[in-house]
């Protein structure tokens, strides 16, 4: 099993979900008391949020790039940035390391394509919905992203930062998100990307009016697949 490196803390609410999911997936594969070979470096999210608000993405890239390198030096065979928003600087972070950076957008696009969907609604932070890095990369991968209007973008962003990242899950906010989904559905969206790693705390992708894709679960599964890469081939060789 390869060692998975996680850049967490953005927020720690979703990092805890990553940790649980990855270990559950490993235990499901191996049985018994098996768990993942995993290294987690959790940053102070308050510092990262300050850089986001200031538009200091170059400083954020340097900070996370340093963390990625520390993970590699500690023995990580791959690195994940455990947040959608900070994939805005994923290319810069990747330059700091020689091990693979498993990209949440690419893995999500693969999963959506496999399900036969083409026009997903993106629910995410304002940075992810408005900066273009997400929609542009998805477009290059053959998907036409639906972004909520300005009012709905504010609603989704505020729920993420003011509630979910602070550990608050409110039924009233779930209803607001469902209303955003219904409006997007009426405009032609055929699926939903839970494009913030905290949204899985409030929305169940299997209980939505359209096919739902939880980026946290997708990213965690990609990490576990990487950790076991080559195992099947080795087993087949042994069987032969």
């Amino acid at each position: 099993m390869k060692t998975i490196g996680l850049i967490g803390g953005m927020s720690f609410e979703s990092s805890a979900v990553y940790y649980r999911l990855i270990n559950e997936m490993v235990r499901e594969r191996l049985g018994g008391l098996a768990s993942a070979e995993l290294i987690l470096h959790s940053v102070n999210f308050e510092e990262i949020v300050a850089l986001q608000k200031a538009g200091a993405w170059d400083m954020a890239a340097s900070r996370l790039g340093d963390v990625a390198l520390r993970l590699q030096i500690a023995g990580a065979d791959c690195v994940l940035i455990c947040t959608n928003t900070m994939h805005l600087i994923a290319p810069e972070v990747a330059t700091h390391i020689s091990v693979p950076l498993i990209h949440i957008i690419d893995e999500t696009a693969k999963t959506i394509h496999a399900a036969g969907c083409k026009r997903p609604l993106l629910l995410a932070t304002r940075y992810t919905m408005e900066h273009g890095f997400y929609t542009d990369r998805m477009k290059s991968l053959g998907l036409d992203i639906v972004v909520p209007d300005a009012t709905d973008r504010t609603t989704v962003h505020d729920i993420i930062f003011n509630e979910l990242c602070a550990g608050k899950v409110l039924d009233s906010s779930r209803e607001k998100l469902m209303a955003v989904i219904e409006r997007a559905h009426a405009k032609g969206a055929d699926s939903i990307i839970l494009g913030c790693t905290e949204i899985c705390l409030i929305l169940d992708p299997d209980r939505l009016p359209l096919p739902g894709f939880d980026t946290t679960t997708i990213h965690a599964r990609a990490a576990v697949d990487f950790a076991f890469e080559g195992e099947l081939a080795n087993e087949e060789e042994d069987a032969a």
Side-chain angles (χ1 to χ4, degrees), residues 1-4 29 76-80 99-102 220-231:
M1 192 193 320
K2 298 183 181 72
T3 299
I4 299 166
R29 292 197 186 206
D77 295 301
C78 68
V79 170
L80 282 73
V99 298
L101 188 149
I102 299 178
R221 185 178 296 114
V224 173
D225 287 344
F226 177 88
F228 286 96
E229 200 172 74
E231 178 191 9

Side-chain angles (χ1 to χ4, degrees), residues 20-220:
R20 175 178 58 79
L21 287 175
I22 289 172
N23 279 294
E24 286 177 350
M25 290 173 185
V26 169
R27 183 172 60 193
E28 183 179 345
R29 292 197 186 206
L30 298 181
L33 299 177
S35 57
E37 294 284 347
L38 184 154
I39 306 168
L40 168 63
H41 185 129
S42 188
V43 300
N44 180 354
F45 193 31
E46 189 69 29
E47 295 176 0
I48 301 300
V49 170
L51 295 175
Q52 292 174 343
K53 290 180 176 178
W57 298 104
D58 55 340
M59 294 177 65
S62 178
R63 174 79 173 96
L64 295 194
D66 177 66
V67 173
L69 181 58
R70 288 168 182 254
L71 287 170
Q72 179 177 326
I73 291 171
D77 295 301
C78 68
V79 170
L80 282 73
I81 304 173
C82 298
T83 160
N84 283 272
T85 295
M86 299 311 286
H87 276 73
L88 189 155
I89 55 171
E92 291 78 11
V93 173
T95 65
H96 288 73
I97 55 177
S98 57
V99 298
L101 188 149
I102 299 178
H103 203 293
I104 199 168
I105 300 177
D106 295 353
E107 298 301 329
T108 301
K110 291 177 190 176
T111 304
I112 295 171
H113 276 302
C117 298
K118 300 293 183 184
R119 201 163 187 264
L121 166 68
L122 175 62
L123 298 178
T125 67
R126 178 177 290 113
Y127 308 111
T128 303
M129 292 186 287
E130 295 181 357
H131 273 256
F133 74 97
Y134 205 101
T135 53
D136 290 348
R137 194 172 183 106
M138 281 289 188
K139 186 175 182 179
S140 73
L141 296 169
L143 294 173
D144 180 19
I145 297 296
V146 176
V147 177
D149 64 23
T151 300
D152 284 346
R153 291 199 299 273
T154 297
T155 296
V156 176
H157 181 88
D158 288 349
I159 289 171
I160 292 168
F161 272 94
N162 299 337
E163 298 173 18
L164 300 180
C165 288
K168 301 175 183 177
V169 180
L170 306 179
D171 289 338
S172 58
S173 293
R174 184 180 295 107
E175 292 173 3
K176 291 176 183 178
L177 292 174
M178 293 301 289
V180 173
I181 290 170
E182 291 295 346
R183 285 189 284 274
H185 188 190
K187 294 180 180 179
D190 67 1
S191 52
I192 304 154
I193 298 174
L194 307 188
C196 168
T197 53
E198 284 80 23
I199 294 183
C200 62
L201 299 173
I202 194 169
L203 293 180
D204 182 342
D206 296 325
R207 301 181 67 182
L208 298 174
L210 296 169
F213 299 95
D214 173 26
T215 55
T216 310
T217 299
I218 291 168
H219 208 198

